[in-house]
Amino acid sequence: MMKKKLTKVMAIALAAAMGLSLTACGGSQGKAENTAQADGEGGDATLRISWWGGDDRHTATEEAVKKFMEKYPNIKVETEYGAWTGWEEKQSLGILSGECADIIQIGSNWVKDYSRGGESYLDLNQYSDVLDLTQFPQDKLKSNEINGKLMAVPISLTGRLFYWNKTTFDEVGAAIPTDEASLLAAGAAFKAYGDDYYPLALGEYDRAIFMVYYLESKYGKEWIEDGKLNYTEAEIKEGMDFLRKLEDEHVIPTIATISGDMADSLDKNAKWIDGKYAGLLEWDSGVSKVKAALEGSVNKPGQEFIIGDFIKFGDFNGGSTKISMNFAIKASTKYPKEAAMLLNYLLNDPEGVEILSTTRGVPCSAAAIKVLEEKNIGDAMTKEANAKVLDYCKFLQDPQFDNSELKANPDGLYYKVFGKLSSKDITPEEAAKTLYDGVVTILEED
């Protein structure tokens, strides 16, 4: 499956490299390319850097790039960015053809998925004289190696946790869920309050993460371990049964209901913004945007947003952490040393760290963490959420959990399986078998 996909992507990428219009490295969502230039007529080296994210990340990174160019006037840096939707699909073409930006923000699974055995990205070990690799956890660096080459440096660690609209819970008269019983009780209370009110909303990818969280809580073992799926079909069926139960008990809306809301993501969904969906399972690094969306409601101002505790479903602490994103440098860059210098500035330099703060989550770099602590900067809720995740979650999410054959919207396996389970086109048994077979196949072909 994965090999066929890469063959197709490579064919498209090669065609693009031969002269077809390539938009992979431009801003997405209709955003025009932005270029930050140093004063004067340019410099000896010109670099391009690309990333996805929200407005706060865009603004901070633009500012950091500007300051970098002031510090190194011989280096000009052009910036390219956009929202997440469709970003990986476009960027993968550029990475595989070598036409992407010099410095690329990449997902944890991109290290393997698009490295072509270590050929797509620069071996960063070769530039440790300008990029201080000693600041990063060695096990995280190791996880980014392909054939002994360091393909990327980790930017931050992340995990999912529960965010709640306390105002709605208080109005409904339900307690914030802390275990299975209180979660189901909330479903009953919300149904009695109004058919379009739900204590928790989960999209397809959210359901994959939630189901694994549930199973980890019950069985206390990794989802993927040593490159192999660590759960049986029967165990996965228990997770599917539980998701079906949550829909039947009015804890979560159906996928069809969420799709009918016509929103790009749950944090932009009017039902979250106006308090009808009262809970989300989101990344710790996304707390600011989720909170801002809720507090920006015109129809229902003054709502109280809180970071919840982890829900207990068994004897173990479910939930996983992962490298949220990395920076890589394309292997064919004309200016590898200058690109490594820019990475070091963004991730380790006090000035760059202060500007970027927590716009990409709480940093991995020890030097960056020291700057945040000494200057008492960074979004307080992002740091609180990250601390909760790192303290509670003991499992590590394998990068292949986010394999594009699984995660891609709308054609990835997660979207097909959980969508059909929600619409009752397949049974929990069939959903479990389909997911099991698909994950096993992808891991075997990796």
Side-chain angles (χ1 to χ4, degrees), residues 204-216:
E204 294 94 334
Y205 178 59
D206 306 325
R207 293 178 189 219
I209 293 174
F210 182 88
M211 186 194 73
V212 171
Y213 171 89
Y214 174 77
L215 293 175
E216 288 170 343

Side-chain angles (χ1 to χ4, degrees), residues 292 330 351:
K330 72 174 181 179
E351 183 178 66

Side-chain angles (χ1 to χ4, degrees), residues 144-158:
N144 281 341
E145 288 186 357
I146 300 291
N147 294 329
K149 300 177 181 179
L150 181 60
M151 299 285 92
V153 284
I155 300 172
S156 58
L157 298 180
T158 190

Side-chain angles (χ1 to χ4, degrees), residues 83 101 219 229 269-270 302 309 311 354 357 390 443-444:
Y219 290 100
L229 182 58
N269 192 305
D309 293 325
I311 298 176
E354 184 171 354
S357 186
L390 296 182
L443 293 175
E444 288 178 345

Side-chain angles (χ1 to χ4, degrees), residues 124-125 127-134 136 150 153 329 340-341 343-345 347-348:
L124 298 179
N125 284 322
Y127 295 90
S128 59
D129 56 331
V130 292
L131 173 58
D132 186 0
L133 298 174
T134 66
F136 302 92
L150 181 60
V153 284
I329 299 173
M341 289 168 61
L343 279 193
N344 193 70
Y345 178 83
L347 299 177
N348 293 325

Side-chain angles (χ1 to χ4, degrees), residues 126-347:
Q126 303 302 313
Y127 295 90
S128 59
D129 56 331
V130 292
L131 173 58
D132 186 0
L133 298 174
T134 66
Q135 300 299 327
F136 302 92
Q138 292 305 301
D139 61 331
K140 302 303 183 294
L141 291 177
K142 191 72 177 176
S143 70
N144 281 341
E145 288 186 357
I146 300 291
N147 294 329
K149 300 177 181 179
L150 181 60
M151 299 285 92
V153 284
I155 300 172
S156 58
L157 298 180
T158 190
R160 292 244 181 166
L161 71 167
F162 296 95
Y163 300 134
W164 307 107
N165 182 333
K166 187 176 184 299
T167 300
T168 299
F169 271 89
D170 289 346
E171 290 174 352
V172 169
I176 299 293
T178 56
D179 57 19
E180 182 175 341
S182 57
L183 183 62
L184 294 174
F190 273 69
K191 181 174 175 58
Y193 188 82
D195 281 342
D196 54 349
Y197 281 76
Y198 292 86
L200 183 64
L202 301 170
E204 294 94 334
Y205 178 59
D206 306 325
R207 293 178 189 219
I209 293 174
F210 182 88
M211 186 194 73
V212 171
Y213 171 89
Y214 174 77
L215 293 175
E216 288 170 343
S217 300
K218 290 191 66 177
Y219 290 100
K221 58 183 181 179
E222 300 276 7
W223 174 247
I224 296 172
E225 191 167 40
D226 297 328
K228 298 184 182 300
L229 182 58
N230 207 24
Y231 284 80
T232 65
E233 281 186 43
E235 291 167 342
I236 296 172
K237 178 185 175 295
E238 292 180 35
M240 299 295 182
D241 284 333
F242 188 59
L243 285 170
R244 175 68 62 81
K245 182 178 183 179
L246 294 185
E247 281 193 352
D248 292 344
E249 299 293 326
H250 201 83
V251 174
I252 58 176
T254 63
I255 293 297
T257 298
I258 295 173
S259 297
D261 298 334
M262 304 297 291
D264 290 339
S265 57
L266 284 170
D267 65 283
K268 297 178 182 177
N269 192 305
K271 290 180 180 176
W272 164 255
I273 295 170
D274 295 336
K276 291 185 175 181
Y277 294 162
L280 299 179
L281 177 65
E282 250 291 357
W283 299 111
D284 56 17
S285 56
V287 61
S288 294
K289 69 175 183 180
V290 173
K291 179 175 182 284
L294 184 70
E295 293 181 345
S297 175
V298 174
N299 297 324
K300 195 174 181 181
Q303 298 175 100
E304 183 180 356
F305 171 92
I306 63 171
I307 300 173
D309 293 325
F310 286 87
I311 298 176
K312 295 290 289 184
F313 290 122
D315 295 331
F316 305 95
N317 288 7
S320 305
T321 59
K322 70 167 186 173
I323 296 174
S324 61
M325 61 193 80
N326 300 279
F327 271 131
I329 299 173
K330 72 174 181 179
S332 60
T333 182
K334 293 181 180 178
Y335 306 104
K337 181 177 180 180
E338 289 81 357
M341 289 168 61
L342 176 55
L343 279 193
N344 193 70
Y345 178 83
L346 297 176
L347 299 177

Side-chain angles (χ1 to χ4, degrees), residues 9 62 66 173 183 251 417 432:
V9 172
E62 286 274 22
K66 179 182 177 182
L183 183 62
V251 174
V417 169

